[in-house]
Amino acid sequence: MESFELKYDEKGLIPAIVQDSETKEVLMMAYMNRESLLMTVKTRKATYWSRSRKKLWVKGETSGNFQYVEKIYYDCDADTLLLLVRQKGAACHTGSKSCFYRELDMEGYNSEQ
């Protein structure tokens, strides 16, 4: 087994990209800290750090739309996680299956806006 150290930012957070384990669709992106990652590994339910509420939250704790974690990968720099999950219901708080449902119009985008 290879030895590694995940690289958390100055606030103790690491980005976590969440992908449907079956369809490979990107569902959402959130942040984790050491505690939320340990809870995720232990319970197999995705647990994140809410930057706005400044507390741990289990995805689905209020909506019932849990994410059951099948695998966790980390990138080559060990500063980003990829969670492969079985999503129950919608991943996005808007009710959309994925948080990435809006496309940026690259032809009409003006970086001066």
Side-chain angles (χ1 to χ4, degrees), residues 33-55:
N33 61 13
R34 283 181 174 85
E35 185 180 4
S36 66
L37 180 56
L38 288 171
M39 285 184 62
T40 297
V41 169
K42 181 179 178 182
T43 66
R44 299 291 197 244
K45 285 184 179 176
T47 304
Y48 304 105
W49 176 256
S50 171
R51 295 177 303 158
S52 59
R53 294 178 283 167
K54 299 195 180 350
K55 69 175 197 167

Side-chain angles (χ1 to χ4, degrees), residues 74-88:
Y74 58 96
D75 74 337
C76 56
D77 294 323
D79 64 0
T80 303
L81 299 174
L82 174 64
L83 280 63
L84 295 184
V85 304
R86 281 182 294 110
Q87 176 70 50
K88 180 182 177 195

